């Protein structure tokens, strides 16, 4: 049995299943609590079901994976032949997932490096890919961590939401609540900064906000070789159109991923979300 450095992340990375399989990346699921039912993201609740629940204003909350669930995944990965594990997770400012992974790492059968990437969605996914590619090339766990942290340091994530109501309810908007106050008619653009969701700009209409989101992403990409991800929730046509325009505007676009976010992010953003992740190689 060959020994290797294995990469573990969580379900909010939203990596395509084929990509995870090709690189041997394991994702530990977060949980969505819908009414009195606790459901694992990715297997037990669809984004369609989530969007319907949000439209009906049913109570929806999220929770981190338990340390026991992490321990189970670490054990399975070790049994598959891993000599070390690099465990990369969404921002600790947004979730207790990182803390749960740290608790499980103490009892793991092989060394585990747990990393708070400060990222979420494909901003996290690109970090996991960078670590996996380094490990595949024979890199050590430390080298895989360095690759992920380097990718994170250059990656930017921007978001448009139809309303701040869901973010306010979930307590995830931080300083945005103070900035926007009760002006919920404004179409907000947000960014991931310091591991938190922070305000970026206020725009008066949805069409202008989406156009501005495109402009910000294209400017951020510049002439660098970049990977881009366009995320959405219940806004597939908007996301596809935005992706097409970015393909035309970004001169050194390497890979472009278009995907619907899962239930965990969707529970805090609501239907209509558009997000763009720009990650220089």
């Amino acid at each position: 049995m060959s020994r290797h450095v294995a990469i573990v992340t969580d379900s909010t990375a939203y990596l395509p299943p084929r990509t995870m399989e090709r690189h041997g990346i394991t994702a530990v699921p977060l949980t969505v609590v819908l009414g009195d039912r606790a459901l694992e993201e990715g297997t037990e609740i669809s984004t369609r079901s989530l969007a319907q629940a949000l439209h009906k204003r049913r109570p929806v909350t999220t929770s981190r994976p338990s340390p026991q669930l992490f321990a189970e995944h670490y054990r399975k990965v070790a049994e598959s032949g891993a000599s070390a594990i690099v465990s990369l997770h969404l921002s600790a400012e947004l979730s207790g997932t990182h803390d749960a992974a740290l608790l499980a790492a103490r009892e793991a059968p092989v060394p585990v490096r747990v990393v708070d990437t400060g990222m979420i969605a494909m901003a996290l996914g690109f970090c996991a890919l960078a670590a996996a590619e380094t490990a595949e090339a024979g890199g050590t766990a430390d080298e895989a961590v360095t690759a992920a942290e380097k990718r994170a340091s250059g990656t930017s994530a921007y978001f448009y939401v139809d309303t701040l109501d869901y973010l306010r309810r979930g307590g995830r908007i931080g300083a945005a609540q103070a900035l926007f106050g009760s002006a919920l008619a404004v179409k907000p653009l947000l960014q991931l900064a310091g591991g938190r969701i922070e305000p970026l700009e206020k725009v008066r209409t949805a069409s202008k906000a989406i156009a501005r989101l495109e402009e910000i992403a294209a400017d951020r990409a510049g002439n660098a070789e970049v990977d881009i991800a366009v995320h959405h929730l219940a806004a597939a046509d908007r996301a596809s159109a935005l992706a097409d325009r970015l393909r035309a505007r970004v001169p050194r676009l390497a890979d472009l991923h278009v995907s619907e976010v899962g239930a965990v992010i969707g529970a805090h953003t609501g239907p209509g979300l558009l997000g763009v992740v720009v990650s220089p190689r």
Side-chain angles (χ1 to χ4, degrees):
M1 183 182 292
S2 63
R3 309 297 287 173
H4 62 280
V5 175
I7 307 302
V8 173
T9 186
D10 59 67
S11 60
T12 68
Y14 302 134
L15 285 162
R18 288 184 179 179
T19 300
M20 291 179 59
E21 183 178 355
R22 184 167 66 249
H23 293 283
I25 299 171
T26 298
V28 180
L30 275 73
T31 299
V32 177
V33 181
L34 188 59
D36 59 356
R37 299 172 61 205
L39 306 167
E40 283 190 355
E41 181 176 43
T43 58
E44 296 180 340
I45 181 170
S46 67
T47 50
R48 182 185 181 91
S49 298
L50 171 76
Q52 290 173 344
L54 293 174
H55 279 306
K56 294 176 181 177
R57 300 188 70 83
R58 292 179 61 191
V60 180
T61 58
T62 60
S63 67
R64 70 180 193 178
S66 68
Q68 292 77 15
L69 185 60
F70 268 110
E72 180 182 336
H73 279 80
Y74 291 157
R75 178 181 55 78
K76 289 180 179 178
V77 169
E79 289 174 352
S80 74
S83 59
I85 297 170
V86 173
S87 199
L88 303 157
H89 300 292
L90 78 158
S91 172
E93 295 282 348
L94 302 175
S95 169
T97 299
H98 173 263
D99 291 341
L102 280 175
L103 289 171
R106 296 173 186 172
E107 307 299 328
V110 297
V112 181
R113 291 285 307 276
V114 179
V115 180
D116 171 14
T117 65
M119 300 283 109
I120 197 167
M122 273 298 292
L124 168 58
F126 288 133
C127 294
L129 282 174
E133 289 165 357
T134 299
E136 288 165 4
T140 65
D142 285 346
E143 289 168 339
V145 169
T146 297
E149 290 177 338
K150 181 178 179 181
R151 194 74 186 253
S153 69
T155 295
S156 301
Y158 308 101
F159 307 95
Y160 160 82
V161 291
D162 275 337
T163 173
L164 285 170
D165 190 35
Y166 298 104
L167 284 163
R168 292 211 314 166
R169 279 192 245 164
R172 294 304 197 278
I173 61 172
Q177 185 169 5
L179 176 68
F180 290 111
S182 60
L184 298 181
V186 169
K187 297 300 182 182
L189 293 179
L190 309 170
Q191 64 180 333
L192 193 62
R196 297 183 298 272
I197 297 171
E198 299 284 2
L200 183 60
E201 294 182 7
K202 296 183 290 185
V203 186
R204 287 294 178 184
T205 68
S207 60
K208 289 181 180 179
I210 294 169
R212 181 63 181 139
L213 179 66
E214 173 192 339
E215 183 178 1
I216 290 168
D219 288 347
R220 176 66 184 85
N223 290 316
E225 183 181 11
V226 297
D227 295 323
I228 288 179
V230 176
H231 289 303
H232 72 93
L233 180 64
D237 290 344
R238 277 179 173 178
S240 179
L242 176 57
D244 287 343
R245 294 194 299 271
L246 287 171
R247 283 190 187 96
R249 290 190 65 164
V250 177
R252 298 184 63 200
L253 179 60
D255 288 331
L256 191 150
H257 303 262
V258 181
S259 65
E260 191 165 34
V261 299
V264 168
I265 291 182
H268 295 290
T269 61
L273 163 76
L274 279 180
V276 181
V277 176
V278 181
S279 184
R281 290 199 166 190

